[in-house]
Amino acid sequence: DIFNSFEFGCSKYKDRLDRKNDYLDAILDGTVNIILLENSHRDILYINRQFYNYFPKYKNISDFKKRHNSISELFDSDEEGYIDKEYYSKNFDYIVSDEREYKVKITQDNRTSYFKLTVSKSKLAKKYFVVILADITKLELERKKNIRHERMLQQQAKMASMGEMIGNIAHQWRQPLSQLSAIFMAIKFKYNLGKLNSIIPQEKRQI
């Protein structure tokens, strides 16, 4: 009887625990963010459903772990402003404690997505870390578009300024050229009248 009561109690506790796990899975799978759980050795213990929605090439966590040891292996390293695998590995503890915003870029199957990265220690167990990737692709693309537009405006302003400067230089050159042209016309006119000898000293003084 004691054994049966103990077995019944364990079974009831297991059922309650399973229900809680189901509730937790429903919450984690229902979020719009990618959520992963890692241990202190950077081993991935859990990946929510949203990850597979973004990267359908991976069927489950076992499939992902066959190809990668860390989520950071997906981080691109071809653009400044986004952390890559090397930075993530070397500065993991700093990323956890730092409140600064980190961004990552992931390209899979010719599709590029941008995420805000957050890593925090689990409040339930300090040896676990929760990794959250929040999609900021639309914001990043809009930001890059604004940067390109601003650079184009700066280039146009620079070209306009150069055009104005060249115009000023040309104007300064035109003034003495106009004076020379007038002098040469006067010389030609005097020459035609046969009075060139008397005008040359005066024209030299003007030059």
Side-chain angles (χ1 to χ4, degrees):
D1 291 340
I2 296 176
F3 177 78
N4 290 336
S5 298
F6 177 75
E7 185 178 10
F8 175 77
C10 289
S11 177
K12 190 174 181 180
Y13 178 77
K14 181 179 180 300
D15 291 340
R16 187 183 304 171
L17 186 61
D18 289 340
R19 283 198 300 271
K20 287 185 177 180
N21 288 335
D22 291 339
Y23 296 153
L24 181 60
D25 286 340
I27 293 172
L28 295 177
D29 288 337
T31 182
V32 297
N33 298 328
I34 294 175
I35 300 178
L36 303 93
L37 184 66
E38 294 183 349
N39 62 18
S40 57
H41 301 292
R42 306 287 88 79
D43 296 327
I44 297 177
L45 307 176
Y46 172 85
I47 301 176
N48 75 334
R49 186 179 301 168
Q50 191 68 345
F51 174 84
Y52 305 111
N53 292 337
Y54 275 93
F55 311 113
K57 65 184 294 184
Y58 305 105
K59 303 304 179 184
N60 49 50
I61 188 171
S62 298
D63 185 25
F64 178 82
K65 293 176 73 172
K66 285 179 182 178
R67 310 186 200 188
H68 307 285
N69 294 320
S70 170
I71 184 64
S72 64
E73 293 182 11
L74 301 184
F75 299 168
D76 294 347
S77 58
D78 60 346
E79 189 174 351
E80 292 184 2
Y82 306 94
I83 66 172
D84 56 12
K85 173 188 175 182
E86 183 177 0
Y87 186 94
Y88 183 85
S89 301
K90 290 183 178 180
N91 301 278
F92 183 82
D93 292 335
Y94 182 74
I95 294 174
V96 173
S97 60
D98 188 23
E99 296 182 356
R100 185 163 60 93
E101 180 178 290
Y102 292 91
K103 295 185 292 186
V104 299
K105 174 186 174 186
I106 300 178
T107 301
Q108 291 276 304
D109 298 327
N110 297 320
R111 175 192 173 190
T112 299
S113 300
Y114 300 89
F115 300 92
K116 181 178 75 172
L117 171 70
T118 305
V119 184
S120 58
K121 285 185 178 180
S122 171
K123 295 182 179 180
L124 299 178
K126 297 298 183 181
K127 61 181 179 179
Y128 296 126
F129 298 91
V130 179
V131 180
I132 300 176
L133 296 173
D135 189 357
I136 56 171
T137 302
K138 290 183 178 180
L139 294 175
E140 284 298 287
L141 293 179
E142 186 66 24
R143 183 182 68 85
K144 292 174 183 293
K145 179 181 176 181
N146 292 337
I147 291 175
R148 289 194 297 268
H149 182 66
E150 183 177 347
R151 287 176 178 172
M152 183 183 68
L153 292 178
Q154 291 176 349
Q155 184 67 17
Q156 290 177 348
K158 182 179 179 181
M159 295 300 293
S161 177
M162 289 179 62
E164 183 179 355
M165 180 181 66
I166 293 173
N168 291 334
I169 293 173
H171 177 70
Q172 292 175 3
W173 272 100
R174 279 196 296 269
Q175 285 182 332
L177 289 175
S178 297
Q179 293 177 357
L180 285 173
S181 178
I183 293 171
F184 291 147
M185 288 179 64
I187 293 174
K188 182 178 180 181
F189 179 74
K190 296 295 183 181
Y191 176 80
N192 292 334
L193 294 177
K195 300 180 179 181
L196 182 62
N197 292 335
S198 61
I199 198 68
I200 287 179
Q202 181 181 352
E203 301 299 340
K204 283 185 176 180
R205 286 196 296 272
Q206 292 184 23
I207 296 176

